Amino acid sequence: MAWLVALVATGGSLYFSEVAGFIPCELCWYQRILMYPLAVILGIASYRDDRSVVPYVLPLTAGGAALSAFHYLLQKVPGMAALSPCREGIPCSGQYINWLGFITIPFLAFVAFVLISLLMWAARKGTD
């Protein structure tokens, strides 16, 4: 299941940039750097039924969730804009999508990172 979440997140990311034409901001790139390897690592682990990848996956998902949460706050909390690392190019506070008034691309990434974390945590528990 974690592999499926990583595949959907990676596919969605590529769809938004390559098909919809949304240019990723700097924080989006960092989130991609943390998500894309998960699709490969979790795919290999799924094929081999290998739960030993949990310690390698959790730091990526924890970092990705923290980064996505920060990015989401930059978008939704006006006072956070001063903390934005995006000084050139696409602003990190920009919102290409805003479904239901709160679902943005960083929100989707956050949900994916948290889901993968929870699934990995459950997989870790199964090996004890």
Side-chain angles (χ1 to χ4, degrees):
M1 288 302 296
W3 178 43
L4 182 61
V5 173
L7 281 177
V8 169
T10 300
S13 166
L14 291 170
Y15 171 81
F16 283 139
S17 63
E18 301 303 319
V19 177
F22 301 160
I23 300 169
C25 71
E26 188 172 340
L27 286 177
C28 289
W29 279 112
Y30 293 135
Q31 290 166 71
R32 286 175 170 208
I33 288 167
L34 294 170
M35 180 61 72
Y36 288 11
L38 291 174
V40 175
I41 293 167
L42 292 171
I44 294 169
S46 294
Y47 177 74
R48 299 176 77 187
D49 195 25
D50 181 7
R51 293 176 185 227
S52 66
V53 299
V54 173
Y56 308 112
V57 170
L58 286 177
L60 293 173
T61 59
L67 191 59
S68 298
F70 175 71
H71 192 181
Y72 185 70
L73 288 173
L74 286 177
Q75 290 182 326
K76 295 298 183 180
V77 179
M80 295 282 294
L83 300 174
S84 178
C86 303
R87 301 286 181 215
E88 296 177 18
I90 304 301
C92 290
S93 59
Q95 299 178 39
Y96 285 116
I97 65 168
N98 191 19
W99 300 330
L100 304 174
F102 72 96
I103 300 172
T104 64
I105 295 172
F107 180 84
L108 293 171
F110 176 78
V111 169
F113 282 120
V114 169
L115 270 174
I116 294 169
S117 296
L118 292 173
L119 290 165
M120 288 290 95
W121 191 259
R124 183 195 64 78
K125 295 275 189 190
T127 60
D128 290 340

